[in-house]
Amino acid sequence: MRYAGLWVALCLLVLPMSANAETSFLTVRTLEDGATGYSLNLRILILMTALTLIPSMLLALTSFTRIIIVLSILRQAMGTQSTPSNQILVGLALFLSLFIMAPVGERVYEAGLGPYLDEQMTEQEAWAAASIPLKEFMLGQTRETDIAMFARIADVQGIQTPMDTPMTLLIPAFITSELKTAFQIGFLIFIPFVVIDLIVASLLMSMGMMMLSPMIISLPFKLILFVLVDGWALTMGTLASSFYGVI
């Protein structure tokens, strides 16, 4: 599966190792007193520890953050509480992220992972080549003001082109931009549902039914409106197209 190129690229980012490095995980040796001793390869141990962080890193460096936030805001705007459930929202966000990141995964595979598996590149060379498509994707979604803010905080100078931005600076800027974009989209989604709530609340007050919760009356109208306009297709399509414009 070529999406694995993103995983390998992140592994290489966390722990670059030379091509001729010792890769045995467990070493058995005889001590001076004749006893048997065991030692773990430190690099392999660090890599296996880092694997626990890679899923979180992968989700943060892809389109997943924006998608899951927008879907959560949509559910709250409709007032359906736990419907769809968190598992369904995460599943939608995950597979839509795979769809959006497919072109990036293909380019990562062709640029870095494929040659590395064919033993045409070292780990460092593979990471340098594979990081270019990922960096281009992240730069396309990151605001220059966010990059400038983190560059000012870290006192990083000498960035001549966007591609010169180090990953340690680009990653927090990308996440910050994604959060802002997600809340902007969520605000636009929230407006029509708020209008329905206001209309229903005004009607109930004019009828003297102030003890009746407006949410009970407005929920069916919001659901039928969302279904009539094919809301799920619009939401998923808009989220996908917001990324595809720069891929």
Side-chain angles (χ1 to χ4, degrees):
M1 188 174 182
R2 295 191 173 184
Y3 302 137
L6 295 176
W7 290 80
V8 174
L10 289 174
C11 288
L12 296 174
L13 171 64
V14 174
L15 187 63
M17 296 185 296
S18 59
N20 59 353
E22 182 184 355
T23 57
S24 59
F25 177 72
L26 180 64
T27 302
V28 181
R29 55 191 176 88
T30 303
L31 303 178
E32 296 181 355
D33 57 359
T36 302
Y38 303 91
S39 62
L40 297 177
N41 187 304
L42 182 60
R43 289 182 174 179
I44 300 297
L45 183 62
I46 295 176
L47 177 58
M48 296 186 65
T49 304
L51 287 176
T52 60
L53 302 176
I54 289 179
S56 299
M57 294 175 59
L58 185 63
L59 296 180
L61 304 186
T62 62
S63 57
F64 183 87
T65 300
R66 180 189 304 185
I67 295 171
I68 191 62
I69 291 177
V70 171
L71 293 180
S72 299
I73 293 177
L74 173 61
R75 182 178 64 180
Q76 184 176 1
M78 289 192 298
T80 54
Q81 298 180 355
S82 60
T83 304
S85 64
N86 291 331
Q87 293 85 348
I88 294 177
L89 291 185
V90 171
L92 287 173
L94 180 60
F95 284 100
L96 185 58
S97 297
L98 290 176
F99 170 77
I100 293 171
M101 299 301 296
V104 180
E106 292 286 339
R107 294 168 58 191
V108 167
Y109 181 87
E110 295 174 357
L113 179 59
Y116 172 73
L117 295 178
D118 294 336
E119 298 182 354
Q120 299 176 359
M121 289 184 177
T122 63
E123 285 85 350
Q124 292 85 350
E125 294 173 343
W127 162 245
S131 63
I132 294 177
L134 183 61
K135 182 178 287 189
E136 290 177 348
F137 167 79
M138 295 172 64
L139 286 170
Q141 306 298 328
T142 307
R143 295 174 174 81
E144 294 182 0
T145 54
D146 293 329
I147 296 178
M149 178 187 67
F150 284 100
R152 183 175 63 255
I153 294 174
D155 194 20
V156 176
Q157 300 177 357
I159 301 178
Q160 302 298 328
T161 63
M163 291 301 295
D164 294 334
T165 306
M167 292 296 290
T168 54
L169 189 151
L170 179 59
I171 291 175
F174 170 76
I175 297 175
T176 303
S177 294
E178 284 295 281
L179 291 174
K180 183 176 181 179
T181 302
F183 277 94
Q184 288 177 339
I185 298 176
F187 169 76
L188 297 176
I189 292 177
F190 226 109
I191 291 178
F193 297 106
V194 171
V195 172
I196 294 177
D197 287 334
L198 290 175
I199 294 175
V200 172
S202 299
L203 290 176
L204 291 178
M205 291 185 64
S206 64
M207 297 171 62
M209 305 174 64
M210 292 177 292
M211 299 300 295
L212 181 62
S213 173
M215 293 296 298
I216 299 178
I217 307 300
S218 64
L219 179 58
F221 291 99
K222 289 190 288 187
L223 291 178
I224 192 62
L225 173 64
F226 194 70
V227 171
L228 290 177
V229 300
D230 201 4
W232 285 113
L234 287 175
T235 302
M236 305 295 277
T238 300
L239 286 171
S241 60
S242 67
F243 290 96
Y244 259 76
V246 295
I247 293 180

